[in-house]
Amino acid sequence: MNKLQLNRRAIIKAMLLGSAAPWVLTSKSFAASSCEDHLVRVGTVVAPDTMNPFATWSSFYPTIYTYDFLVCVDAQRHPDRKGFAKEWSVADDKRTWTFKIWPGMKWSDGQPATARDAAFTYNYLLGSMGKPAELNVGANNTSGMQNVGSIAALDDETLQIVTKAPTRWPIENSVMIVPEHIWKDVSYADARSTFRNDPPLVGTGPMIIQEFQQGQFARLTPNEYFRTGKPATDGMIFNFFSTADPLAQGLKSGNLDFGFGMTVAQWDDLSKDPKIVAAEARIEQRNFLAFNTVSGLGAGSTKALQDPAFRDAIGYAIDQNTLVDRAFRGHADPGVGLVMPAATEYFSDLSDIRRNFNLAEAGRRLDAAGYRDIDGDNVREDKEGNKFQLELITGNISGNLEIPIAAVQLIAGWLAQIGIPVSVTQLDSGALNARTAAPTKGGGGWDLVVASNWGSPSPDDVLALGKSADRANRSYWSNEKFNQIVSQVKLVVDVKRSRELVDQAARLIYKEAPYIMLCYPMLLEAYRKDCFEGWGEDLSTWSYYPFDRLKPV
């Protein structure tokens, strides 16, 4: 689940803003499961507020089961998880993309689903650009479309996207394709605000939303026109919760068949139940320690925060391996650089420049940089002679996996050992977002923040933490060379060249150290074995899988 980029994690950030209360446990949606009804009962911590993807970021679940992306992440990684397009190619000019739409595909209401619907969806967005009601507030938005030259259906099965310069946007965007015959008469003003897209929805995915009760559940039925065949289950009940507690309870009691986003303690407990398979998946979330690097408006308590040498020294005082073992019980990868392991095409362990935990080395580097303990009281002074007393703010970003407070306590302890005392302030998601907003928007004034970011594995999202003025950049760091690399990577189609540019950027920001990556947490999932089979091993967070192929036991 950031920025106004099209990415699934920015979407999910909004999903956790609300409110399924504990009474959901007694609602009809959460009634005791019976294998005989062949309904898959799912639950996680989400709070969708509308089924309109042009108006909200919060409805990724459950609309991902009803609408298709043109391509996006899963279709590139898994040949059996294609979206609206069956296949695609790019011409030698690196600007002309051709997509072959599934022949004979239908919408769930029986109407033909063609390249013309895909062209409509994108041109609907393009047509709003620059207007007062521009479609830039929801998951389906205009971000990234500035480089689009034209989008046209050459025939019912052929979509052509021509870009102004080379870019991978045509296959990486996460716009959900909607039916023209439903949306053609919806004004831009209504699409971005009042039009709720009430069920029953019309989509090409395997499960169609038939009922939506905000704060409670969504009910979905199998799409009889799904391109690979009608799913074998009789539908899905997707329960919305405000905490992870009902997930564990529901899985153990049999009231849920599948849950994801539970805590480590709940996952460990569920893994002992012979009726349940507990799994974990690498995701794109990055947990980090960020420094307030800005000067002037919004600056922190000391200019040391603006000094790369100070920040680099602090990096030697963070033991990522211990943090993963103690705070996450091993359910995370130790932090290294900007690129998370889930972005397999771009990840590097930076072994040749990587810092190793060493408190003595951290102390030596602080001394060398001019941050010494002048009076021997075990508290260092900055270059202005002021004793360090840093404010560390933290909290959990809505839609992101929780950062255990134990991780923050470990960090505070290590910093104290090198003469940098910190005070910790815990904030809720809204307050944390307000404090870390751009200084021109009222944010700043803090010193350190422990927070998280969850974007897509695309280069643009991976590099967002370092982009000047990007709302994902919580450190306020600005570097012209980094920005130039970001601009270059936007105009690259070749993965190898893109990888080279991402690596350059990752190394630059690692050395400048506006962030210290703490870890990359795992998404913890679990499913019951008694009612359904076909769960597979790589449970997706980027598509309808595996709900297109589950079968009753």
Side-chain angles (χ1 to χ4, degrees):
M1 265 149 28
N2 344 280
K3 30 195 186 302
L4 293 178
Q5 292 293 348
L6 294 169
N7 70 66
R8 183 253 181 179
R9 304 313 178 193
I11 296 168
I12 296 186
K13 283 174 187 269
M15 295 194 314
L16 303 191
L17 288 174
S19 69
W23 52 259
V24 173
L25 286 168
T26 62
S27 74
K28 269 175 75 174
S29 70
F30 206 80
S33 177
S34 167
C35 291
E36 284 73 28
D37 66 15
H38 297 169
L39 288 174
V40 186
R41 290 173 170 83
V42 179
T44 195
V45 182
V46 290
D49 53 0
T50 174
M51 295 294 99
N52 176 1
F54 295 93
T56 185
W57 291 96
S58 72
S59 64
F60 185 91
Y61 294 117
T63 54
I64 186 61
Y65 308 119
T66 292
Y67 293 127
D68 278 310
F69 302 129
L70 184 64
V71 180
C72 206
V73 176
D74 255 19
Q76 295 182 69
R77 291 178 173 175
H78 305 281
D80 62 340
R81 304 183 194 177
K82 297 289 178 64
F84 203 82
K86 183 179 182 181
E87 55 191 50
W88 55 91
S89 61
V90 61
D92 291 341
D93 65 3
K94 306 298 183 185
R95 298 187 304 109
T96 305
W97 294 79
T98 301
F99 299 86
K100 301 303 292 185
I101 308 306
W102 294 86
M105 185 164 61
K106 293 182 178 181
W107 294 102
S108 55
D109 63 359
Q111 294 291 316
T114 73
R116 304 183 198 285
D117 293 290
F120 164 80
T121 302
Y122 288 120
N123 285 318
Y124 188 60
L125 290 165
L126 277 171
S128 76
M129 292 180 68
K131 297 181 179 178
E134 181 173 345
L135 298 174
N136 57 8
V137 297
N140 275 14
N141 71 53
T142 57
S143 180
M145 301 190 80
Q146 297 81 359
N147 196 28
V148 173
S150 64
I151 300 178
L154 304 185
D155 56 46
D156 283 354
E157 296 177 11
T158 310
L159 177 75
Q160 183 184 82
I161 298 179
V162 180
T163 61
K164 298 174 184 177
T167 173
R168 293 180 62 82
W169 178 86
I171 59 173
E172 290 183 342
N173 76 84
S174 54
V175 171
M176 293 181 174
I177 306 301
V178 299
E180 180 178 10
H181 64 282
I182 300 295
W183 287 85
K184 63 181 180 180
D185 295 324
V186 180
S187 70
Y188 294 143
D190 288 345
R192 60 174 278 143
S193 58
T194 58
F195 182 65
R196 291 185 54 82
N197 195 28
D198 289 328
L201 271 58
V202 176
T204 51
M207 292 285 169
I208 305 301
I209 298 167
Q210 299 290 342
E211 181 181 4
F212 168 57
Q213 296 294 330
Q214 187 171 346
Q216 298 183 54
F217 67 92
R219 180 176 60 85
L220 300 87
T221 58
N223 181 1
E224 64 178 300
Y225 298 110
F226 187 58
R227 54 189 167 270
T228 59
K230 180 180 177 181
T233 66
D234 285 343
M236 178 195 301
I237 301 293
F238 199 109
N239 296 273
F240 313 137
F241 300 124
S242 61
T243 73
D245 291 338
L247 298 179
Q249 298 167 9
L251 283 161
K252 294 193 78 169
S253 67
N255 290 337
L256 287 178
D257 299 296
F258 176 62
F260 58 101
M262 65 271 299
T263 67
V264 170
Q266 292 166 343
W267 189 92
D268 285 345
D269 182 49
L270 291 169
S271 68
K272 300 170 186 175
D273 191 320
K275 299 185 183 68
I276 294 173
V277 174
E280 58 184 9
R282 280 197 171 101
I283 55 172
E284 294 80 12
Q285 181 167 322
R286 299 168 283 190
N287 295 347
F288 54 76
L289 170 69
F291 299 83
N292 180 345
T293 67
V294 76
S295 60
L297 180 67
S301 66
T302 172
K303 292 181 180 178
L305 299 166
Q306 302 162 32
D307 183 356
F310 175 80
R311 303 191 300 255
D312 175 67
I314 297 298
Y316 285 89
I318 307 299
D319 187 349
Q320 284 94 340
N321 290 314
T322 295
L323 186 144
V324 166
D325 289 342
R326 293 175 59 179
F328 290 84
R329 300 190 194 179
H331 297 290
D333 289 313
V336 183
L338 198 63
V339 186
M340 68 294 283
T344 54
E345 298 90 345
Y346 304 104
F347 177 73
S348 168
D349 64 5
L350 303 178
S351 58
D352 57 324
I353 61 172
R354 186 172 179 174
R355 306 178 192 94
N356 294 307
F357 175 66
N358 188 323
L359 291 175
E361 179 65 19
R364 284 192 293 271
R365 287 176 178 261
L366 287 170
D367 288 343
Y371 306 103
R372 298 175 176 273
D373 176 10
I374 298 172
D375 55 9
D377 65 350
N378 295 321
V379 177
R380 295 176 182 271
E381 285 80 22
D382 63 17
K383 294 179 181 180
E384 288 69 43
N386 301 312
K387 289 186 179 296
F388 281 106
Q389 179 59 57
L390 303 184
E391 181 194 22
L392 187 158
I393 61 174
T394 190
N396 293 306
I397 304 297
S398 291
N400 292 7
L401 302 186
E402 179 180 343
I403 299 176
I405 192 61
V408 180
Q409 293 168 340
L410 286 169
I411 294 166
W414 290 321
L415 295 186
Q417 290 182 63
I418 59 170
I420 309 289
V422 302
S423 61
V424 175
T425 302
Q426 286 187 269
L427 303 171
D428 63 27
S429 179
L432 182 62
N433 283 327
R435 288 290 306 274
T436 58
T440 55
K441 297 182 178 180
W446 48 272
D447 297 319
L448 306 171
V449 61
V450 171
S452 59
N453 166 273
W454 195 351
S456 81
S458 71
D460 199 48
D461 279 357
V462 166
L463 300 181
L465 285 184
K467 286 192 295 185
S468 297
D470 194 294
R471 76 178 186 182
N473 184 352
R474 294 182 187 263
S475 71
Y476 311 142
W477 181 70
S478 182
N479 182 282
E480 185 57 33
K481 185 177 180 181
F482 187 95
N483 292 336
Q484 289 174 359
I485 296 173
V486 172
S487 296
Q488 290 178 58
V489 81
K490 286 176 178 288
L491 303 178
V492 171
V493 172
D494 179 68
V495 173
K496 181 179 179 181
R497 177 56 180 157
S498 183
R499 185 183 302 119
E500 292 171 353
L501 290 169
V502 170
D503 189 63
Q504 290 177 27
R507 289 172 178 276
L508 191 161
I509 197 171
Y510 188 87
K511 292 176 180 178
E512 289 280 317
Y515 299 92
I516 305 298
M517 288 298 149
L518 303 174
C519 68
Y520 316 102
M522 303 287 186
L523 178 65
L524 302 181
E525 311 166 312
Y527 61 87
R528 292 186 64 89
K529 299 184 290 185
D530 47 357
C531 289
F532 301 96
E533 61 185 9
W535 294 99
E537 297 182 356
D538 185 8
L539 300 180
S540 177
T541 57
W542 274 105
S543 75
Y544 49 77
Y545 176 87
F547 299 101
D548 60 324
R549 64 199 70 187
L550 290 183
K551 297 179 180 179
V553 172

mmCIF file of all heavy atoms in Angstrom, residues 332-361:
data_model
loop_
_atom_site.group_PDB
_atom_site.id
_atom_site.type_symbol
_atom_site.label_atom_id
_atom_site.label_comp_id
_atom_site.label_asym_id
_atom_site.label_seq_id
_atom_site.Cartn_x
_atom_site.Cartn_y
_atom_site.Cartn_z
ATOM 1 N N ALA A 332 11.250 -11.186 8.403
ATOM 2 C CA ALA A 332 11.636 -10.018 7.617
ATOM 3 C C ALA A 332 13.027 -10.279 7.065
ATOM 4 O O ALA A 332 13.771 -11.117 7.590
ATOM 5 C CB ALA A 332 11.622 -8.749 8.470
ATOM 6 N N ASP A 333 13.366 -9.590 6.006
ATOM 7 C CA ASP A 333 14.738 -9.590 5.510
ATOM 8 C C ASP A 333 15.449 -8.377 6.096
ATOM 9 O O ASP A 333 14.873 -7.271 6.131
ATOM 10 C CB ASP A 333 14.765 -9.498 3.978
ATOM 11 C CG ASP A 333 14.283 -10.780 3.308
ATOM 12 O OD1 ASP A 333 14.734 -11.853 3.710
ATOM 13 O OD2 ASP A 333 13.447 -10.680 2.375
ATOM 14 N N PRO A 334 16.698 -8.525 6.536
ATOM 15 C CA PRO A 334 17.430 -7.374 7.083
ATOM 16 C C PRO A 334 17.564 -6.261 6.050
ATOM 17 O O PRO A 334 17.758 -6.509 4.855
ATOM 18 C CB PRO A 334 18.800 -7.961 7.437
ATOM 19 C CG PRO A 334 18.557 -9.426 7.615
ATOM 20 C CD PRO A 334 17.485 -9.775 6.617
ATOM 21 N N GLY A 335 17.444 -5.046 6.498
ATOM 22 C CA GLY A 335 17.518 -3.913 5.600
ATOM 23 C C GLY A 335 18.914 -3.696 5.046
ATOM 24 O O GLY A 335 19.918 -3.922 5.728
ATOM 25 N N VAL A 336 18.963 -3.254 3.805
ATOM 26 C CA VAL A 336 20.235 -2.935 3.150
ATOM 27 C C VAL A 336 20.084 -1.554 2.501
ATOM 28 O O VAL A 336 20.437 -0.550 3.092
ATOM 29 C CB VAL A 336 20.619 -3.992 2.090
ATOM 30 C CG1 VAL A 336 21.985 -3.642 1.496
ATOM 31 C CG2 VAL A 336 20.652 -5.381 2.689
ATOM 32 N N GLY A 337 19.565 -1.541 1.285
ATOM 33 C CA GLY A 337 19.438 -0.295 0.550
ATOM 34 C C GLY A 337 18.020 0.013 0.154
ATOM 35 O O GLY A 337 17.056 -0.578 0.646
ATOM 36 N N LEU A 338 17.911 0.941 -0.772
ATOM 37 C CA LEU A 338 16.610 1.452 -1.196
ATOM 38 C C LEU A 338 15.742 0.376 -1.844
ATOM 39 O O LEU A 338 14.521 0.391 -1.725
ATOM 40 C CB LEU A 338 16.849 2.586 -2.198
ATOM 41 C CG LEU A 338 15.719 3.555 -2.486
ATOM 42 C CD1 LEU A 338 15.335 4.315 -1.233
ATOM 43 C CD2 LEU A 338 16.142 4.533 -3.573
ATOM 44 N N VAL A 339 16.358 -0.567 -2.540
ATOM 45 C CA VAL A 339 15.614 -1.574 -3.299
ATOM 46 C C VAL A 339 15.306 -2.778 -2.411
ATOM 47 O O VAL A 339 16.207 -3.365 -1.806
ATOM 48 C CB VAL A 339 16.394 -2.023 -4.546
ATOM 49 C CG1 VAL A 339 15.534 -2.968 -5.388
ATOM 50 C CG2 VAL A 339 16.831 -0.818 -5.366
ATOM 51 N N MET A 340 14.052 -3.145 -2.358
ATOM 52 C CA MET A 340 13.629 -4.283 -1.536
ATOM 53 C C MET A 340 13.806 -5.596 -2.301
ATOM 54 O O MET A 340 13.755 -5.611 -3.541
ATOM 55 C CB MET A 340 12.171 -4.106 -1.095
ATOM 56 C CG MET A 340 11.148 -4.190 -2.216
ATOM 57 S SD MET A 340 11.184 -2.882 -3.474
ATOM 58 C CE MET A 340 10.401 -1.555 -2.582
ATOM 59 N N PRO A 341 14.041 -6.728 -1.600
ATOM 60 C CA PRO A 341 14.234 -8.009 -2.280
ATOM 61 C C PRO A 341 13.066 -8.407 -3.177
ATOM 62 O O PRO A 341 13.264 -9.136 -4.155
ATOM 63 C CB PRO A 341 14.412 -8.996 -1.128
ATOM 64 C CG PRO A 341 14.947 -8.179 -0.006
ATOM 65 C CD PRO A 341 14.280 -6.843 -0.146
ATOM 66 N N ALA A 342 11.845 -7.943 -2.865
ATOM 67 C CA ALA A 342 10.693 -8.293 -3.692
ATOM 68 C C ALA A 342 10.793 -7.705 -5.090
ATOM 69 O O ALA A 342 10.171 -8.224 -6.023
ATOM 70 C CB ALA A 342 9.393 -7.821 -3.025
ATOM 71 N N ALA A 343 11.563 -6.649 -5.251
ATOM 72 C CA ALA A 343 11.810 -6.089 -6.590
ATOM 73 C C ALA A 343 12.983 -6.845 -7.189
ATOM 74 O O ALA A 343 14.098 -6.345 -7.298
ATOM 75 C CB ALA A 343 12.099 -4.599 -6.493
ATOM 76 N N THR A 344 12.723 -8.082 -7.557
ATOM 77 C CA THR A 344 13.801 -9.013 -7.906
ATOM 78 C C THR A 344 14.657 -8.533 -9.070
ATOM 79 O O THR A 344 15.850 -8.855 -9.134
ATOM 80 C CB THR A 344 13.207 -10.395 -8.241
ATOM 81 O OG1 THR A 344 12.199 -10.242 -9.267
ATOM 82 C CG2 THR A 344 12.561 -11.011 -7.023
ATOM 83 N N GLU A 345 14.064 -7.772 -9.983
ATOM 84 C CA GLU A 345 14.831 -7.318 -11.143
ATOM 85 C C GLU A 345 15.864 -6.271 -10.779
ATOM 86 O O GLU A 345 16.822 -6.042 -11.530
ATOM 87 C CB GLU A 345 13.895 -6.730 -12.208
ATOM 88 C CG GLU A 345 12.877 -7.724 -12.780
ATOM 89 C CD GLU A 345 11.574 -7.724 -11.988
ATOM 90 O OE1 GLU A 345 11.568 -7.181 -10.856
ATOM 91 O OE2 GLU A 345 10.574 -8.261 -12.489
ATOM 92 N N TYR A 346 15.714 -5.630 -9.619
ATOM 93 C CA TYR A 346 16.548 -4.474 -9.292
ATOM 94 C C TYR A 346 17.309 -4.598 -7.975
ATOM 95 O O TYR A 346 18.146 -3.754 -7.673
ATOM 96 C CB TYR A 346 15.668 -3.212 -9.239
ATOM 97 C CG TYR A 346 14.900 -2.988 -10.514
ATOM 98 C CD1 TYR A 346 13.535 -3.273 -10.591
ATOM 99 C CD2 TYR A 346 15.538 -2.527 -11.654
ATOM 100 C CE1 TYR A 346 12.829 -3.083 -11.773
ATOM 101 C CE2 TYR A 346 14.850 -2.338 -12.840
ATOM 102 C CZ TYR A 346 13.493 -2.617 -12.896
ATOM 103 O OH TYR A 346 12.807 -2.442 -14.072
ATOM 104 N N PHE A 347 17.048 -5.621 -7.195
ATOM 105 C CA PHE A 347 17.656 -5.729 -5.870
ATOM 106 C C PHE A 347 19.149 -6.002 -5.944
ATOM 107 O O PHE A 347 19.620 -6.778 -6.776
ATOM 108 C CB PHE A 347 16.984 -6.841 -5.059
ATOM 109 C CG PHE A 347 17.620 -7.037 -3.702
ATOM 110 C CD1 PHE A 347 17.420 -6.115 -2.694
ATOM 111 C CD2 PHE A 347 18.432 -8.142 -3.450
ATOM 112 C CE1 PHE A 347 18.005 -6.286 -1.444
ATOM 113 C CE2 PHE A 347 19.013 -8.325 -2.214
ATOM 114 C CZ PHE A 347 18.797 -7.388 -1.212
ATOM 115 N N SER A 348 19.900 -5.359 -5.079
ATOM 116 C CA SER A 348 21.320 -5.622 -4.881
ATOM 117 C C SER A 348 21.611 -5.552 -3.389
ATOM 118 O O SER A 348 21.049 -4.701 -2.679
ATOM 119 C CB SER A 348 22.181 -4.593 -5.618
ATOM 120 O OG SER A 348 23.538 -4.688 -5.213
ATOM 121 N N ASP A 349 22.481 -6.447 -2.899
ATOM 122 C CA ASP A 349 22.821 -6.404 -1.480
ATOM 123 C C ASP A 349 23.912 -5.382 -1.172
ATOM 124 O O ASP A 349 24.318 -5.225 -0.018
ATOM 125 C CB ASP A 349 23.232 -7.785 -0.972
ATOM 126 C CG ASP A 349 24.507 -8.306 -1.629
ATOM 127 O OD1 ASP A 349 25.137 -7.565 -2.410
ATOM 128 O OD2 ASP A 349 24.864 -9.472 -1.365
ATOM 129 N N LEU A 350 24.385 -4.666 -2.190
ATOM 130 C CA LEU A 350 25.375 -3.590 -2.010
ATOM 131 C C LEU A 350 26.575 -4.059 -1.181
ATOM 132 O O LEU A 350 27.109 -3.330 -0.351
ATOM 133 C CB LEU A 350 24.716 -2.373 -1.343
ATOM 134 C CG LEU A 350 23.495 -1.777 -2.054
ATOM 135 C CD1 LEU A 350 22.926 -0.605 -1.258
ATOM 136 C CD2 LEU A 350 23.834 -1.329 -3.470
ATOM 137 N N SER A 351 26.992 -5.294 -1.406
ATOM 138 C CA SER A 351 28.002 -5.921 -0.549
ATOM 139 C C SER A 351 29.318 -5.154 -0.514
ATOM 140 O O SER A 351 30.032 -5.180 0.494
ATOM 141 C CB SER A 351 28.262 -7.361 -1.016
ATOM 142 O OG SER A 351 28.683 -7.387 -2.371
ATOM 143 N N ASP A 352 29.645 -4.431 -1.583
ATOM 144 C CA ASP A 352 30.931 -3.729 -1.627
ATOM 145 C C ASP A 352 30.932 -2.406 -0.871
ATOM 146 O O ASP A 352 32.003 -1.855 -0.580
ATOM 147 C CB ASP A 352 31.348 -3.492 -3.084
ATOM 148 C CG ASP A 352 30.303 -2.710 -3.868
ATOM 149 O OD1 ASP A 352 29.102 -2.922 -3.626
ATOM 150 O OD2 ASP A 352 30.697 -1.893 -4.729
ATOM 151 N N ILE A 353 29.753 -1.878 -0.534
ATOM 152 C CA ILE A 353 29.709 -0.619 0.220
ATOM 153 C C ILE A 353 28.870 -0.741 1.492
ATOM 154 O O ILE A 353 28.680 0.241 2.211
ATOM 155 C CB ILE A 353 29.139 0.526 -0.643
ATOM 156 C CG1 ILE A 353 27.701 0.215 -1.093
ATOM 157 C CG2 ILE A 353 30.037 0.794 -1.841
ATOM 158 C CD1 ILE A 353 27.015 1.394 -1.780
ATOM 159 N N ARG A 354 28.418 -1.903 1.791
ATOM 160 C CA ARG A 354 27.469 -2.114 2.892
ATOM 161 C C ARG A 354 28.122 -1.894 4.253
ATOM 162 O O ARG A 354 29.230 -2.354 4.518
ATOM 163 C CB ARG A 354 26.903 -3.531 2.807
ATOM 164 C CG ARG A 354 25.800 -3.845 3.794
ATOM 165 C CD ARG A 354 25.210 -5.199 3.480
ATOM 166 N NE ARG A 354 24.150 -5.577 4.400
ATOM 167 C CZ ARG A 354 23.399 -6.663 4.260
ATOM 168 N NH1 ARG A 354 23.599 -7.463 3.208
ATOM 169 N NH2 ARG A 354 22.451 -6.937 5.129
ATOM 170 N N ARG A 355 27.415 -1.184 5.119
ATOM 171 C CA ARG A 355 27.873 -0.986 6.486
ATOM 172 C C ARG A 355 27.627 -2.258 7.297
ATOM 173 O O ARG A 355 26.627 -2.947 7.078
ATOM 174 C CB ARG A 355 27.133 0.167 7.167
ATOM 175 C CG ARG A 355 27.176 1.482 6.425
ATOM 176 C CD ARG A 355 26.359 2.539 7.161
ATOM 177 N NE ARG A 355 26.163 3.708 6.305
ATOM 178 C CZ ARG A 355 25.123 3.910 5.531
ATOM 179 N NH1 ARG A 355 24.135 3.009 5.503
ATOM 180 N NH2 ARG A 355 25.030 4.987 4.786
ATOM 181 N N ASN A 356 28.478 -2.525 8.257
ATOM 182 C CA ASN A 356 28.276 -3.618 9.196
ATOM 183 C C ASN A 356 28.130 -3.045 10.600
ATOM 184 O O ASN A 356 28.821 -2.077 10.961
ATOM 185 C CB ASN A 356 29.446 -4.605 9.143
ATOM 186 C CG ASN A 356 29.527 -5.326 7.813
ATOM 187 O OD1 ASN A 356 28.541 -5.912 7.364
ATOM 188 N ND2 ASN A 356 30.676 -5.268 7.158
ATOM 189 N N PHE A 357 27.248 -3.630 11.363
ATOM 190 C CA PHE A 357 26.993 -3.135 12.717
ATOM 191 C C PHE A 357 28.270 -3.139 13.545
ATOM 192 O O PHE A 357 28.932 -4.166 13.689
ATOM 193 C CB PHE A 357 25.942 -4.013 13.388
ATOM 194 C CG PHE A 357 25.696 -3.670 14.837
ATOM 195 C CD1 PHE A 357 25.134 -2.443 15.180
ATOM 196 C CD2 PHE A 357 26.026 -4.566 15.845
ATOM 197 C CE1 PHE A 357 24.892 -2.128 16.509
ATOM 198 C CE2 PHE A 357 25.779 -4.254 17.178
ATOM 199 C CZ PHE A 357 25.217 -3.037 17.508
ATOM 200 N N ASN A 358 28.617 -1.981 14.059
ATOM 201 C CA ASN A 358 29.821 -1.848 14.870
ATOM 202 C C ASN A 358 29.722 -0.542 15.640
ATOM 203 O O ASN A 358 29.966 0.534 15.097
ATOM 204 C CB ASN A 358 31.066 -1.864 13.969
ATOM 205 C CG ASN A 358 32.367 -1.925 14.753
ATOM 206 O OD1 ASN A 358 32.496 -1.318 15.813
ATOM 207 N ND2 ASN A 358 33.336 -2.651 14.218
ATOM 208 N N LEU A 359 29.350 -0.630 16.914
ATOM 209 C CA LEU A 359 29.164 0.580 17.713
ATOM 210 C C LEU A 359 30.465 1.365 17.852
ATOM 211 O O LEU A 359 30.449 2.604 17.843
ATOM 212 C CB LEU A 359 28.615 0.214 19.087
ATOM 213 C CG LEU A 359 27.164 -0.306 19.121
ATOM 214 C CD1 LEU A 359 26.786 -0.738 20.523
ATOM 215 C CD2 LEU A 359 26.188 0.751 18.611
ATOM 216 N N ALA A 360 31.583 0.651 17.966
ATOM 217 C CA ALA A 360 32.864 1.345 18.082
ATOM 218 C C ALA A 360 33.173 2.131 16.809
ATOM 219 O O ALA A 360 33.655 3.266 16.863
ATOM 220 C CB ALA A 360 33.981 0.345 18.378
ATOM 221 N N GLU A 361 32.889 1.522 15.661
ATOM 222 C CA GLU A 361 33.112 2.214 14.396
ATOM 223 C C GLU A 361 32.179 3.416 14.268
ATOM 224 O O GLU A 361 32.580 4.479 13.767
ATOM 225 C CB GLU A 361 32.894 1.260 13.231
ATOM 226 C CG GLU A 361 33.070 1.868 11.846
ATOM 227 C CD GLU A 361 34.490 2.325 11.574
ATOM 228 O OE1 GLU A 361 35.425 1.882 12.277
ATOM 229 O OE2 GLU A 361 34.666 3.132 10.635
#
